[in-house]
Amino acid sequence: MIEEGSKSSKSMVEKRQLFMEMRAQNFDVIRLSTYRTACKLRFVQKRCNLHLVDVWNMIEAFRDNGLSTLDHNAEINVSRLETILSSIFYQLNKRLPTTHQINVEQSIGLLLNFIVATYDSEGHGKLTVFAMKAMLATMCGGKILDKLRYIFSQISDSNGVMVYAKFDQFLREVLKLPTAVFEGPSFGYTEHSVRTCFPQQKILLNTFLDVLMADPPPQYLVWLPLMHRLANVENVFHPVECSYCRSESMMGFRYRCQQCHGYQLCQSCFWRGHASGPHSNQHQMKEHSSWKSPAKKLSHAISKSLGCMPIGEPPHPVFPEAAERPQDLAHTTQLRPVASNMNDTVLISSGTPTPSKSSTLESPSRLDEEHRLIARYAARLAAEASNSTQCPPTDLSFNFDANKQQRQLIAELENKNREILQEIQRLRLEHEQASQPTPEKAQQNPTLLAELRLLRHRKDELERRMSALQESRRELMVQLEGLMRLLKDEEQKQASQTGTSPHSSPSHSASCTMPMPIRSTSAGSTPTHTPQDCLAGVGDDVLDAFSQGVPRNLRNDLLVAADSITNTMSSLVKELHSVDDGLEEEEENMRNGREKVSSLKHSGKRQSTPSF
């Protein structure tokens, strides 16, 4: 029971980890709910590493996991959702360079807990296919135009007309995201959301994009384009001083007051509602996502006044009014990763757009769109030139200069496109060179590391065996010393008893048992002494025999010791035999003498006896 309680508490901590980290960022100090919601969702996106997954990669993951053939209302369980997320992040790690690898297990766990908390708050363990598609397509990386095109393909019929019921279902699912980050009162779902966004009856793709990418967008989805703008300005630098905090530079957004001359705020001060001097929070502020020097502003204004720049350009390309089919990546090429820095990963493809605007390398499809735009501008300029022939002669020189500048602008754009293509090719070559194996990578080869660990283990075994051999040698030396001591004692004892040489005295203690020392260390212990330490406790005779001169082989030492013991025992046995033979001769002589004495006594008695 205790283990189950600990496991449940651990799972609860893991589920609340993302929300606890989000609360630690203190986003609630942001005054405006739109920025507050966008910052929270951007934090979730980056913490789960969804900003590295392009929308086209997400669509490909849907197709690979068989979600394209399922009905939108079909339900999937949490285990299958985890499998889908695993395929997404493992494929992402394959595309990323080795220096930019992510923690796949952590990303899967955080995102899975966030999706379950958002779409399965009642704990049924299931969610619909459409909910999962809407959430992942909205929170992944990529351009907002590509996301909206994919979403429209999921909510339109075969004629390319939006189905209001499906768009209503999309709003239900996507507006659960602000609710999950505690912004439900500001961006919660209502039944009038659909008609508020689209009062028209027939909605095609271009109308759908015009409404959702307008400035401002619909109130319920105003946080969605802001989240993309936040991603684009995270590393933008403004060399301007903030009028409130006096910071000499700004990162991110820059806000300029439309009433107070020269009054500018950084995004931190503006989000928190700081104001100083005559400025008030009620003044209208303009958001800037880039910095232009005064010279660039002047050239921009001149180009715009001369007609070199299109006026009123739509926020997105105009797409044909045909049916927008569901996006299918069956014939697209695999993305190739090129890392620009730690915060921005650029993906180059032959047929898919790139996920970042701040350091974007345009794909060939995007370049084709630019060429078409250039051709359309050229056609418009040609039409204007034909109309300018009817103008008074005083305006001919002005029109000629304008046309010349426009042709120069077109040439500059074409040169820029060529430079972009060359840059793409250079980055591809650099990536291929960087992917080649290097000695540093070879050192991280798991096979080499396994062999190194095996060698270290073998070394430890050899050291332990050496320690055991040294201990055995010491024991043999102690036994040899004891044997030599016994032999000396017996020789001295026999010499003292008989007064003869020590070699002629018998020994009755040759069969005495030898002292067997107890081993203090096991064979598997780690060696803690040197080979010279094994002679500690050994007598001087043995120590002198085995410690003089150059150290010899252990095997030779043992053989010499055995030979000496054998010779000593042989000489002892010979001496014992010689002593026994002498004793037997003396006993035989004494018996003969006693027999002679007894025979003499008997003969004397017979002679002295009187005869009757």
Side-chain angles (χ1 to χ4, degrees):
M1 296 295 293
I2 297 176
E3 293 181 357
E4 293 179 357
S6 61
K7 289 181 180 179
S8 60
S9 61
K10 182 178 180 180
S11 61
M12 289 297 296
V13 170
E14 291 177 352
K15 290 181 180 179
R16 297 173 59 88
Q17 178 182 358
L18 184 63
F19 297 99
M20 294 171 62
E21 293 179 1
M22 184 179 65
R23 287 185 179 276
Q25 299 295 320
N26 200 19
F27 290 122
D28 292 331
V29 300
I30 299 177
R31 180 170 55 97
L32 300 177
S33 60
T34 304
Y35 287 97
R36 191 167 59 244
T37 305
C39 289
K40 290 181 178 180
L41 292 178
R42 175 62 178 170
F43 172 80
V44 173
Q45 182 190 48
K46 294 182 65 177
R47 189 66 181 84
C48 298
N49 290 314
L50 277 175
H51 67 294
L52 301 175
V53 184
D54 190 76
V55 63
W56 302 101
N57 301 125
M58 194 66 71
I59 298 170
E60 184 179 5
F62 294 159
R63 177 181 59 81
D64 292 341
N65 288 276
L67 300 180
S68 301
T69 58
L70 295 178
D71 186 74
H72 283 174
N73 296 323
E75 293 183 342
I76 59 175
N77 53 23
V78 177
S79 61
R80 185 173 182 185
L81 174 61
E82 185 176 4
T83 303
I84 296 171
L85 297 181
S86 299
S87 65
I88 292 173
F89 286 111
Y90 278 112
Q91 289 296 327
L92 172 63
N93 253 359
K94 290 181 181 179
R95 294 190 298 269
L96 293 176
T98 55
T99 56
H100 291 68
Q101 297 289 301
I102 64 171
N103 190 339
V104 175
E105 297 297 332
Q106 184 182 27
S107 301
I108 294 173
L110 292 175
L111 183 57
L112 181 64
N113 291 329
F114 179 75
I115 295 177
V116 171
T118 303
Y119 294 99
D120 188 28
S121 57
E122 298 180 358
H124 297 300
K126 294 182 179 180
L127 70 158
T128 63
V129 173
F130 185 75
M132 187 194 64
K133 285 185 176 181
M135 184 272 173
L136 293 178
T138 303
M139 293 294 294
C140 68
K143 297 181 179 180
I144 187 173
L145 176 63
D146 299 328
K147 293 183 180 181
L148 295 178
R149 287 182 61 192
Y150 172 71
I151 292 170
F152 186 83
S153 69
Q154 301 297 307
I155 62 176
S156 58
D157 56 15
S158 58
N159 297 322
V161 180
M162 187 188 75
V163 180
Y164 277 87
K166 292 184 177 180
F167 181 70
D168 181 73
Q169 184 182 3
F170 167 73
L171 285 182
R172 286 177 184 271
E173 304 299 342
V174 78
L175 290 180
K176 289 180 181 179
L177 294 173
T179 305
V181 294
F182 315 106
E183 296 297 334
S186 301
F187 300 103
Y189 172 79
T190 61
E191 297 180 355
H192 305 287
S193 301
V194 178
R195 293 299 174 183
T196 303
C197 295
F198 297 103
Q200 301 92 340
Q201 295 296 327
K202 184 178 180 181
I203 305 299
L204 300 177
L205 174 60
N206 291 315
T207 307
F208 180 79
L209 297 177
D210 289 339
V211 173
L212 295 186
M213 297 185 67
D215 189 15
Q219 178 61 30
Y220 295 101
L221 297 174
V222 67
W223 51 269
L224 180 58
L226 179 57
M227 185 176 69
H228 286 78
R229 294 202 307 273
L230 280 173
N232 295 332
V233 301
E234 284 181 347
N235 299 319
V236 174
F237 174 77
H238 304 270
V240 183
E241 182 183 13
C242 178
S243 300
Y244 182 83
C245 66
R246 300 302 175 183
S247 176
E248 296 181 357
S249 59
M250 302 181 188
M251 294 293 293
F253 286 120
R254 174 172 55 91
Y255 297 90
R256 187 181 184 88
C257 181
Q258 302 299 298
Q259 298 183 20
C260 304
H261 178 71
Y263 194 89
Q264 300 187 82
L265 293 176
C266 62
Q267 68 177 19
S268 179
C269 295
F270 176 75
W271 288 355
R272 286 161 175 76
H274 295 162
S276 60
H279 178 71
S280 172
N281 289 330
Q282 304 300 323
H283 292 179
Q284 184 179 3
M285 303 288 288
K286 185 176 181 180
E287 178 186 284
H288 293 273
S289 58
S290 62
W291 162 257
K292 292 182 180 179
S293 62
K296 289 185 177 180
K297 291 181 180 179
L298 179 60
S299 62
H300 180 78
I302 294 175
S303 300
K304 189 174 182 180
S305 62
L306 294 177
C308 297
M309 300 184 63
I311 301 175
E313 182 182 2
H316 63 84
V318 178
F319 296 96
E321 298 296 342
E324 183 74 6
R325 297 179 180 179
Q327 303 294 335
D328 187 8
L329 298 183
H331 303 288
T332 56
T333 59
Q334 185 69 22
L335 291 175
R336 302 181 61 186
V338 175
S340 58
N341 50 54
M342 290 299 293
N343 297 324
D344 187 14
T345 301
V346 181
L347 301 179
I348 302 177
S349 171
S350 60
T352 59
T354 58
S356 177
K357 285 186 178 181
S358 60
S359 60
T360 303
L361 298 179
E362 299 291 350
S363 62
S365 60
R366 178 61 179 168
L367 296 178
D368 293 339
E369 292 179 2
E370 290 186 356
H371 284 298
R372 287 196 294 270
L373 289 175
I374 292 172
R376 185 167 50 183
Y377 297 153
R380 183 185 301 176
L381 293 176
E384 292 178 357
S386 61
N387 294 331
S388 64
T389 56
Q390 302 176 0
C391 296
T394 55
D395 296 333
L396 290 178
S397 59
F398 176 79
N399 292 332
F400 177 79
D401 294 336
N403 292 335
K404 182 178 179 181
Q405 293 179 355
Q406 291 167 357
R407 287 193 297 271
Q408 292 177 354
L409 180 61
I410 292 172
E412 292 176 359
L413 292 175
E414 291 177 350
N415 292 332
K416 183 179 179 181
N417 290 334
R418 284 192 294 270
E419 292 176 359
I420 291 174
L421 290 175
Q422 294 176 358
E423 184 70 13
I424 291 174
Q425 185 66 23
R426 184 183 65 81
L427 290 175
R428 284 180 178 175
L429 293 176
E430 290 181 358
H431 174 66
E432 291 177 356
Q433 295 175 358
S435 62
Q436 295 296 327
T438 59
E440 290 78 5
K441 294 181 180 179
Q443 294 178 359
Q444 300 176 359
N445 191 344
T447 305
L448 296 179
L449 294 178
E451 292 180 357
L452 181 59
R453 286 194 294 269
L454 182 61
L455 291 175
R456 289 177 178 172
H457 182 67
R458 180 62 178 167
K459 177 186 176 184
D460 295 338
E461 290 182 352
L462 292 176
E463 289 180 351
R464 289 193 293 269
R465 178 139 182 100
M466 186 63 184
S467 174
L469 291 175
Q470 295 290 351
E471 187 65 24
S472 301
R473 183 188 180 192
R474 191 185 69 81
E475 292 176 0
L476 290 174
M477 303 288 279
V478 171
Q479 293 179 14
L480 181 59
E481 177 65 21
L483 182 58
M484 295 177 69
R485 192 182 301 113
L486 286 175
L487 292 175
K488 287 184 179 181
D489 293 341
E490 290 298 329
E491 290 175 356
Q492 293 175 1
K493 187 182 298 183
Q494 292 296 331
S496 62
Q497 290 177 358
T498 61
T500 60
S501 62
H503 298 285
S504 62
S505 61
S507 176
H508 298 284
S509 61
S511 60
C512 295
T513 58
M514 302 299 297
M516 297 295 294
I518 300 175
R519 298 177 63 178
S520 60
T521 57
S522 62
S525 62
T526 305
T528 58
H529 55 78
T530 61
Q532 289 77 11
D533 297 335
C534 68
L535 300 177
V538 181
D540 296 336
D541 297 334
V542 180
L543 189 63
D544 294 339
F546 288 91
S547 299
Q548 292 176 358
V550 181
R552 291 170 291 184
N553 193 307
L554 177 61
R555 182 177 178 181
N556 296 333
D557 294 344
L558 294 176
L559 291 175
V560 171
D563 291 339
S564 63
I565 292 173
T566 304
N567 296 332
T568 306
M569 292 300 295
S570 299
S571 61
L572 179 60
V573 170
K574 289 179 181 179
E575 292 176 358
L576 291 175
H577 282 302
S578 62
V579 171
D580 291 339
D581 294 339
L583 290 175
E584 289 178 357
E585 291 178 357
E586 290 179 358
E587 289 178 358
E588 184 66 26
N589 294 330
M590 291 177 68
R591 270 197 309 272
N592 295 332
R594 284 195 297 270
E595 289 177 356
K596 290 179 179 181
V597 170
S598 61
S599 61
L600 291 174
K601 287 180 179 180
H602 285 295
S603 62
K605 285 180 181 182
R606 284 194 301 268
Q607 293 175 2
S608 62
T609 300
S611 62
F612 295 96

